[in-house]
Amino acid sequence: GAATPINIGATIGIAFSPDHGISQEELTRNADLALYRAKNAQRGSFQFFLAEMAEQAIEARRLESDVRAALEDGQLSLAYQPIVNADTHQVIGREALLRWMHPQRGAIPPEVFIPVIEDAGLIGAVGEWVLREACREAAGWGDEARIAVNVSAAQIAGASLVGTVVNALATSGLAAERLELEVTESIFLAKDEVTLDSLARLRAIGVRLVLDDFGMGYSSFGYLGRGSFSKIKIDRSFVSAACHGG
């Protein structure tokens, strides 16, 4: 048959001796750190090792150890951002935001510790805790405001999310209709039927699905139909660019 062209690209991390190490193990480790930085910057690019990369890797390992302890010792907590009806000024919902108060370092920003949680494979355990805690607290509110919880693509792709949600609702007594799960468009990139099945099962029990950060790079109106979302949150950068003709 006809030949099929194959395009091959490479992302490269570079470390050289003696500046970046003497032993094979040290050079390989530092080249790998440089590769990690290159992948985060741009696929198909290259990056030389920098001393700060090793320092950041050490810090990430330290944070990983600390966040495991935080989950066990009750250092994690939830803050709630109100969602208000612009006409009536009534609070109709609250979004659960994860917070971490480190016993020595104080408050650690989510943008610092969330990537650590994801890289360490802890997103399932932490996400389960957030769901259970948010449902428990929302069930005790005096109003009937909905509770919105962010759910990662990794959580949805797993087989346990539906069971975790059902358990959290049953344990707390919260009505399924009051729970909103916020997901991003990235969940559709792999075209995973398990993910779509999880979304369908969650809708079937009455949970509302919200598409978060619409307009952040993957945007397609085709996603809207595939997810049957109850709400779409359009990122402000998208709105700003549209207003200025960008």
Side-chain angles (χ1 to χ4, degrees), residues 134-146:
C135 289
R136 185 189 67 81
E137 293 191 7
W141 293 343
D143 53 28
E144 292 298 311
R146 294 189 294 270

Side-chain angles (χ1 to χ4, degrees), residues 226-238:
R226 296 181 70 188
S228 298
F229 296 101
S230 299
K231 183 191 300 182
I232 305 166
K233 296 173 69 176
I234 301 175
D235 189 78
R236 63 182 179 182
S237 63
F238 183 89

Side-chain angles (χ1 to χ4, degrees), residues 59-60 62-71 73-79 97-110 112-114 116-117 129:
E59 173 67 5
R62 185 181 296 117
L63 277 177
E64 178 183 336
S65 176
D66 287 353
V67 80
R68 291 180 187 275
L71 188 58
D73 299 342
Q75 299 170 22
L76 301 178
S77 63
L78 296 179
L97 304 174
L98 185 60
R99 296 290 183 260
W100 178 16
M101 182 61 69
H102 193 283
Q104 284 80 42
R105 302 171 56 176
I108 298 181
V112 172
F113 70 79
I114 293 296
V116 173
I117 289 173
W129 178 86

Side-chain angles (χ1 to χ4, degrees), residues 7 9 21 47 51 67 70 78 86 120 150-151 172 175 178 188 204 209-211:
N7 297 315
Q47 175 69 58
V67 80
L78 296 179
N150 288 283
V151 178
S172 65
R178 289 183 58 197
F188 296 115
L209 301 178
V210 177
L211 182 60

Side-chain angles (χ1 to χ4, degrees), residues 36-58:
Y36 184 79
R37 174 72 65 86
K39 285 181 177 179
N40 284 338
Q42 181 182 352
R43 293 278 178 173
S45 64
F46 65 90
Q47 175 69 58
F48 286 96
F49 172 77
L50 299 172
E52 67 185 53
M53 297 176 187
E55 296 169 1
Q56 290 171 353
I58 293 172

Side-chain angles (χ1 to χ4, degrees), residues 136-179:
R136 185 189 67 81
E137 293 191 7
W141 293 343
D143 53 28
E144 292 298 311
R146 294 189 294 270
I147 175 65
V149 178
N150 288 283
V151 178
S152 72
Q155 287 176 270
I156 297 178
S160 62
L161 178 64
V162 176
T164 297
V165 169
V166 170
N167 183 266
L169 292 172
T171 302
S172 65
L174 185 75
E177 292 74 17
R178 289 183 58 197
L179 177 61

